[in-house]
Amino acid sequence: MSKQRKRKQKYSQGLWRLTIERLFRQRSGIAGMIILGILVLIAIFAPFIAPYDPIEPLIGIENIKKREKPCIHLLGCSADKPQHIMGIDGNVRDLFSRVVYGTRVSLFIGFITIGFAVVVGVFLGTIAGYSGGWLEDVIMRTLDVMLAFPFLLLAIAITSVLGPGLTNAMLAIAIVSIPAYARVIRSSVLSVKEEEYVSAARAVGASPIRIVSQHILPNALPPLIVQGTLGIGTAILEAAALSFLGLGAQPPTPEWGAMLSAERAQLFSAPHLVFFPGLAIMITVLGFNLLGDGLRDAMDPRLRL
Amino acid sequence: MLKYTLRRFVAAIPVLFGVLVVIFILARVVPGDPCTAMLGEKATPEICERFLHEKGLDKPIYIQFMVYVGDIFSGDFGTSIRFNRPIVDILIERLPLSIELGFIALVIASTLGITAGIISAIRHNSYVDVSTMVLANVGVSMPVFWLGLMLAYIFALVLKGTPFQLPPSGRLSPGMKCIPFYEVYDWNLVPDTFAYGVSEFVSNMFIFNSFITGDWIVFLDAIQHMILPAVALSTIPMAIIARMTRSSMLQVLSLDYVRTAKAKGLREIRVIVLHALQNALLPIVTIIGLQLGTLFSGAILTETIFGLSGVGKSLFEAITARDFPIIQGFTLVVAVGYVASNLIVDLSYAFFDPRISLE
């Protein structure tokens, strides 16, 4: 028994090492890791990077007006003025500091929502795939109905039931994301279920829980990780969209979608207030997409797009 | 083929039934009670009781559901609380805009996406290929609302006064009017009939309507207003289609019969279009079909940004204003349209790939 486990561990270590080796040979994987690495550092060290408080207005602290244009000393902004590289927002706050703190919010949103969706999705997908029968029908048809609604529409509907707010928006996105993971896991389970080693495990009397956790899930992991990485990007995008529509993060939370939404009407007079938060969203989502693509190529060359 | 089509139709019924149930439940669990929402301050307990009785809301929930389903099948989607107008009328007014917007966006996304994908595949690993794919990656990662606002800023403000200036909002310039085709051609339609509804629906597609009536000034104006929203909406699907086309073409281009065709001395364009593309189309069609959901989600944001009163914007406004009948009616139309288009995509497989017999 212990010998078997040891061999299994060795095998799975091999898979991970191979994946990481392949990932480092990939342009998109490396680019994604660099972008996300920087973003994670920004999120961790936000208080040291941000020159100002993200929420407190600068009224009375500095002599500046609201929605002032970016002032960068290197680009010829006179040195006696305080430097604000992304300008000042409508509530007289340093936009750069808010964008920096926004990294925390967005990464948090991405990881938590997809974490939740993966856990629930894996649970439902495994039950559906492993048990079969009416239980599978009920689960899969319910998920089909969820997929009959466009993603954002369903998220908006759920948020409107729960009430606006960041937590509810995250919950809505998590719920809407569940079908994708449940389906990935179910199809993996279905393909692995008939393998001989699973029959063998069943023959020696392994419990269903053991078979699922020891034999089926490890094999279903690669597509799940790829899907999850890409899903984090989508979740961040959708959360920003919900916040943009006023259903997600509420002011004064430094969330990029909400920041953009707050200054939308000032697009023509203060475009920088719309430009920078959006750029931040794009770079973050790009990071996850690149890493997801890289992981897909590294983990399973057959899935290559 | 007929058998398969029928079977797919039958398989869609439980999903549509589920959609009805979900919409029915959602509209009833949304916080706020319909009586106070509709009557506002006037809502005393007695008036509310009569109101609920009139609307059938005091009956058991399963009877309410059956009444709701019965109404849907007889074409009665209810009356909007906010506008006090039948939902069907509002749909006739607003759905055409969304259909036009979505259709144009899909055409832009498919033509440019497929072209870019083919060029990338032919010049595999070249400078062109790499930059196209980088652009595609950036395209998928862009928030639609940000792109829309940036486009509006560039084309309405930065390029103001140049020939490239485009309007950032609305469907037509102030003062312009799109005269319905049935008025231009003197059709004598009786209001509140089916034919009138259909004609009204068609005439609300401004670009199409001005095209068939030959009103070129309105036609050009309507197109100018549609460019920015359609481009913003098409970006994500375009990027996804380009990636899928590239990978599908790469796979086909490496097959033997393509080499044979080249060896026979056929012109490259002929090999690519007739031999390779035709066989690479199946996954491309699938992915285009899957973009309809993206398009709708995007339409909510695009319509909001560009001030277009289509289904997406109306639906969002209805949700924030708790206008249940609109939420129910519009969501149902969107979901049914989505399920139907997926069905069409499935059925089109046999057309694009005769090897699939569908039996």
Side-chain angles (χ1 to χ4, degrees), chain B residues 165 235 257 322 353:
Chain B
Q165 180 189 346
T235 315
Y257 71 88
R322 306 257 172 272
D353 191 348

Side-chain angles (χ1 to χ4, degrees), chain B residues 226-280:
Chain B
M226 203 56 109
I227 292 177
L228 291 184
V231 168
L233 188 55
S234 69
T235 315
I236 292 181
M238 191 195 305
I240 296 174
I241 292 170
R243 281 163 53 144
M244 187 46 102
T245 307
R246 174 177 177 270
S247 70
S248 182
M249 280 295 278
L250 277 178
Q251 209 168 30
V252 174
L253 282 175
S254 67
L255 294 179
D256 283 343
Y257 71 88
V258 171
R259 203 177 45 198
T260 312
K262 278 186 190 155
K264 280 197 300 192
L266 290 183
R267 283 180 37 215
E268 196 178 357
I269 183 85
R270 199 181 156 87
V271 177
I272 288 161
V273 175
L274 285 182
H275 289 73
L277 183 60
Q278 215 173 11
N279 285 291

Side-chain angles (χ1 to χ4, degrees), chain B residues 293-304:
Chain B
T294 317
L295 277 181
F296 187 81
S297 294
I300 300 179
L301 298 162
T302 329
E303 288 175 358
T304 308

Side-chain angles (χ1 to χ4, degrees), chain B residues 17-330:
Chain B
F17 183 76
V19 167
L20 277 176
V21 175
V22 169
I23 294 171
F24 181 80
I25 294 173
L26 270 183
R28 268 157 191 74
V29 291
V30 169
D33 121 75
C35 176
T36 34
M38 193 151 170
L39 302 175
E41 297 293 304
K42 291 182 295 181
T44 62
E46 297 83 53
I47 294 176
C48 265
E49 203 174 307
R50 215 173 61 215
F51 171 85
L52 291 177
H53 184 74
E54 268 170 30
K55 300 279 171 189
L57 293 171
D58 56 346
K59 297 204 176 70
I61 198 88
Y62 61 92
I63 295 191
Q64 285 187 39
F65 180 69
M66 286 194 292
V67 169
Y68 166 67
V69 174
D71 283 349
I72 297 287
F73 277 100
S74 56
D76 179 7
F77 285 57
T79 307
S80 157
I81 295 173
R82 212 157 39 116
F83 304 109
N84 200 19
R85 284 174 59 197
I87 304 297
V88 176
D89 287 5
I90 303 175
L91 270 173
I92 288 176
E93 185 184 290
R94 303 193 172 179
L95 185 57
L97 165 67
S98 301
I99 291 179
E100 247 181 8
L101 175 63
F103 180 75
I104 295 174
L106 198 60
V107 169
I108 297 176
S110 310
T111 40
L112 294 185
I114 293 179
T115 314
I118 293 176
I119 294 173
S120 258
I122 301 170
R123 307 260 173 273
H124 185 38
N125 277 339
S126 70
Y127 181 67
V128 184
D129 178 24
V130 172
S131 46
T132 311
M133 285 306 113
V134 168
L135 269 183
N137 254 321
V138 172
V140 192
S141 311
M142 242 184 303
V144 178
F145 47 93
W146 181 66
L147 177 66
L149 290 169
M150 287 296 114
L151 285 174
Y153 177 71
I154 294 170
F155 284 93
L157 192 76
V158 178
L159 294 177
K160 197 171 188 168
T162 70
F164 300 106
Q165 180 189 346
L166 288 169
S169 70
R171 294 185 76 180
L172 290 173
S173 300
M176 289 260 189
K177 197 174 171 295
C178 186
I179 302 158
F181 70 95
Y182 56 85
E183 279 178 25
V184 173
Y185 293 117
D186 283 330
W187 291 15
N188 282 319
L189 294 169
V190 187
D192 290 328
T193 57
F194 183 70
Y196 180 81
V198 172
S199 310
E200 185 66 26
F201 187 88
V202 172
S203 72
N204 272 326
M205 294 192 235
F206 284 2
I207 294 179
F208 183 69
N209 184 74
S210 53
F211 180 76
I212 55 173
T213 55
D215 194 342
W216 303 118
I217 298 170
V218 172
F219 179 72
L220 273 180
D221 193 60
I223 287 204
Q224 278 191 340
H225 279 81
M226 203 56 109
I227 292 177
L228 291 184
V231 168
L233 188 55
S234 69
T235 315
I236 292 181
M238 191 195 305
I240 296 174
I241 292 170
R243 281 163 53 144
M244 187 46 102
T245 307
R246 174 177 177 270
S247 70
S248 182
M249 280 295 278
L250 277 178
Q251 209 168 30
V252 174
L253 282 175
S254 67
L255 294 179
D256 283 343
Y257 71 88
V258 171
R259 203 177 45 198
T260 312
K262 278 186 190 155
K264 280 197 300 192
L266 290 183
R267 283 180 37 215
E268 196 178 357
I269 183 85
R270 199 181 156 87
V271 177
I272 288 161
V273 175
L274 285 182
H275 289 73
L277 183 60
Q278 215 173 11
N279 285 291
L281 265 180
L282 191 62
I284 302 173
V285 172
T286 312
I287 210 88
I288 292 178
L290 289 175
Q291 294 320 303
L292 293 166
T294 317
L295 277 181
F296 187 81
S297 294
I300 300 179
L301 298 162
T302 329
E303 288 175 358
T304 308
I305 291 164
F306 290 100
L308 300 168
S309 292
V311 171
K313 183 167 174 252
S314 311
L315 197 50
F316 170 66
E317 285 169 356
I319 288 175
T320 41
R322 306 257 172 272
D323 194 341
F324 304 136
I326 290 199
I327 304 176
Q328 286 186 336
F330 280 34

Side-chain angles (χ1 to χ4, degrees), chain A residues 145 147-149 151-153 156 160-161 241 244-245 260 264 267-268 271 274-275 278 281-282 286 289-290 293 305, chain B residues 18 22 26 31 137 141-143 145-146 149-150 153 157 243 247 296-297 304 315-316 319 322 331 335 338-339:
Chain A
V145 170
L147 288 172
F149 295 94
F151 201 89
L152 189 60
L153 175 60
I156 290 178
S160 67
V161 171
F244 179 76
L245 293 172
L260 214 156
R264 211 184 108 192
L267 173 68
F268 290 155
V274 173
F275 178 73
I281 300 174
M282 194 192 84
L286 184 64
N289 283 343
L290 289 172
D293 281 356
L305 256 184
Chain B
V22 169
L26 270 183
N137 254 321
S141 311
M142 242 184 303
F145 47 93
W146 181 66
L149 290 169
M150 287 296 114
Y153 177 71
L157 192 76
R243 281 163 53 144
S247 70
F296 187 81
S297 294
T304 308
L315 197 50
F316 170 66
I319 288 175
R322 306 257 172 272
T331 314
Y338 192 44
V339 172

Side-chain angles (χ1 to χ4, degrees), chain A residues 164-279:
Chain A
L166 186 55
T167 320
N168 290 343
M170 285 168 65
L171 189 59
I173 294 167
I175 293 173
V176 178
S177 312
I178 290 171
Y181 303 99
R183 290 185 141 210
V184 167
I185 281 293
R186 175 175 162 268
S187 65
S188 294
V189 171
L190 286 180
S191 67
V192 175
K193 196 166 82 169
E194 306 302 330
E195 295 282 342
E196 277 174 8
Y197 60 84
V198 174
S199 312
R202 202 176 292 141
V204 298
S207 69
I209 291 175
R210 184 178 166 81
I211 292 175
V212 167
S213 63
Q214 295 291 311
H215 299 282
I216 291 182
L217 279 187
N219 282 289
L221 221 47
L224 192 68
I225 290 175
V226 172
Q227 179 93 21
T229 312
L230 294 170
I232 294 177
T234 315
I236 292 175
L237 217 47
E238 300 296 334
L242 283 180
S243 297
F244 179 76
L245 293 172
L247 296 171
Q250 303 295 316
T253 314
E255 200 275 341
W256 295 329
M259 288 159 67
L260 214 156
S261 168
E263 302 297 343
R264 211 184 108 192
Q266 271 66 46
L267 173 68
F268 290 155
S269 55
H272 59 279
L273 296 179
V274 173
F275 178 73
F276 289 112
L279 189 69

Side-chain angles (χ1 to χ4, degrees), chain A residues 13 37 51 68 87 121 129 133 144 153 157 159 162 172 174 226 248 260:
Chain A
Q13 267 176 0
E68 219 163 84
D144 278 352
L153 175 60
T159 331
L162 301 171
V226 172
L260 214 156

